[in-house]
Amino acid sequence: AFPPLPRRSRVTCRKRFQGKADLMAGRFEGGRAGSSASFGRGGSFSRATSGANLKARIKAAFDAVDTDGNGVLDKKELTVAIRTQLGMQLEDPINEIDVIFAAVDDNNNGLIEIEEFIGMLEPQLKKNDEHNTVMEIEEVMRLVFTGYLNTAKAERARINKSFNMAHEDTSPTVGAPSPTKPAPEEEEAPAEDPGDAEKEEAMPAEMAEKKEEPGPKGFGVDFWGYSWRFKLYDDLYTNAKQDDGKDVHLTQRVVNLKKRLENISKGTDPWIAQAMESSERVKMEIANPKAVQRYCALWLKHLLAVEAEW
């Protein structure tokens, strides 16, 4: 939910008159391709501009961004609008434009259609209507786009925090050999007492059940590097793919991450085998695949906890 901007107390009669004139003409200052169209003049939305008029104004804004006039917006056109018409200063332009575009492109076809553009603006416009707030159209777009970026940043912060917490849980084991040095040669074990086997067999069933297999020991024992973790992060979140090879939609990335972490931890996802097969480095690093399963279980556990307290 986006907080409404402060209500403007002064809107001149000229602006109101000009807004109606522009609406009837269906135009924006600056015109079509090759121009630096502006959303400012006559582009404000108030309680008076609702229903059909509201959609007409959104359509006019859409046309101002659609510089080639083909009825859809591509990433290049949106980028120009964000940088010139909206004047937004982005910290990470390439990635942040990708985030904004993906958030608007609901059907994930690489283009923004008029229905998606209307769906992007209508919720905020209705909220403004409830508060009788008057805003220029570029203000509405900047507010919505900033909301997308803030949501994406918060999501990535939660992912990173839980990722690092899982990393800390599998930190070097006390007494484990250094990953930069070969493990010392083991001393020859003393000869076994033949009676030990008989004692083992004679052990009560209850005690035998309590014997636990040694679990994953972490860095220096079960794995000897960290590149597999970054590949895991990339494959499951940053560049996650669907079964058909298409990118997982922005709104589904966390859902996809949780599902795959759970499946890897249970051994039902082929990621470990695929990663070891496709990368010699990953193959050399992972000595015990169960350690990766445990890491995925920990990442998922911490992610759910972080989300609950966020």
Side-chain angles (χ1 to χ4, degrees):
F2 305 116
L5 295 182
R7 179 179 177 181
R8 295 190 172 188
S9 58
R10 297 181 181 179
V11 179
T12 64
C13 293
R14 178 183 176 186
K15 178 174 288 188
R16 291 186 182 279
F17 176 81
Q18 186 64 55
K20 293 180 180 179
D22 282 353
L23 176 60
M24 294 175 63
R27 62 186 173 85
F28 274 81
E29 184 181 11
R32 270 286 182 192
S35 66
S36 56
S38 169
F39 301 131
R41 189 177 179 185
S44 61
F45 290 94
S46 66
R47 189 174 293 277
T49 53
S50 58
N53 286 345
L54 184 65
K55 291 190 176 181
R57 296 303 296 161
I58 297 176
K59 178 62 166 62
F62 181 89
D63 289 342
V65 181
D66 180 21
T67 54
D68 61 12
N70 67 348
V72 292
L73 307 181
D74 57 31
K75 192 173 293 185
K76 181 178 179 181
E77 289 172 320
L78 186 67
T79 300
V80 172
I82 289 173
R83 290 177 173 173
T84 61
Q85 292 156 281
L86 300 182
M88 293 181 67
Q89 301 296 319
L90 304 179
E91 298 175 5
D92 184 3
I94 295 177
N95 289 328
E96 292 184 356
I97 287 174
D98 285 345
V99 167
I100 294 172
F101 192 90
V104 184
D105 181 21
D106 283 337
N107 62 13
N108 203 26
N109 69 346
L111 296 168
I112 296 175
E113 290 133 17
I114 181 61
E115 294 80 9
E116 293 171 327
F117 196 81
I118 291 173
M120 168 190 74
L121 294 176
E122 270 192 326
Q124 182 61 42
L125 294 174
K126 288 179 179 179
K127 180 171 290 188
N128 292 351
D129 196 45
E130 292 172 1
H131 292 83
N132 199 23
T133 301
V134 178
M135 294 176 64
E136 304 291 350
I137 187 169
E138 69 264 26
E139 291 179 292
V140 178
M141 293 177 69
R142 277 196 294 265
L143 182 63
V144 173
F145 289 167
T146 299
Y148 289 151
L149 294 178
N150 289 340
T151 298
K153 288 175 183 178
E155 175 188 290
R156 185 174 287 270
R158 292 191 292 269
I159 300 298
N160 290 346
K161 181 176 181 180
S162 57
F163 179 84
N164 291 328
M165 291 170 74
H167 170 81
E168 292 172 2
D169 284 353
T170 52
S171 58
T173 304
V174 176
S178 168
T180 60
K181 300 178 182 179
E185 295 184 4
E186 295 183 359
E187 296 181 3
E188 185 176 349
E192 293 183 358
D193 184 346
D196 289 343
E198 296 179 3
K199 293 176 184 177
E200 187 84 11
E201 292 177 1
M203 182 182 298
E206 303 83 30
M207 294 180 64
E209 289 177 359
K210 292 181 180 179
K211 291 184 65 179
E212 296 181 358
E213 292 294 328
K217 299 298 183 183
F219 183 81
V221 177
D222 290 326
F223 52 90
W224 294 83
Y226 295 112
S227 64
W228 64 268
R229 288 183 178 176
F230 299 113
K231 179 172 176 55
L232 181 73
Y233 185 102
D234 195 50
D235 289 350
L236 270 59
Y237 180 67
T238 309
N239 294 312
K241 302 291 183 184
Q242 300 176 156
D243 293 337
D244 59 6
K246 292 183 179 179
D247 292 339
V248 173
H249 193 270
L250 177 77
T251 59
Q252 295 299 311
R253 287 198 305 179
V254 176
V255 175
N256 176 76
L257 173 64
K258 292 176 182 176
K259 180 180 178 181
R260 295 205 63 186
L261 286 175
E262 181 179 7
N263 290 340
I264 293 173
S265 67
K266 293 179 178 178
T268 58
D269 188 294
W271 183 86
I272 299 175
Q274 291 173 349
M276 293 178 71
E277 183 179 349
S278 63
S279 171
E280 279 298 320
R281 181 171 181 177
V282 170
K283 185 177 181 179
M284 291 175 62
E285 285 183 354
I286 299 176
N288 181 5
K290 289 188 178 297
V292 181
Q293 291 180 239
R294 177 173 177 262
Y295 179 83
C296 289
L298 288 169
W299 187 3
L300 177 59
K301 171 188 171 184
H302 288 307
L303 177 56
L304 295 175
V306 169
E307 285 181 337
E309 68 183 24
W310 198 267

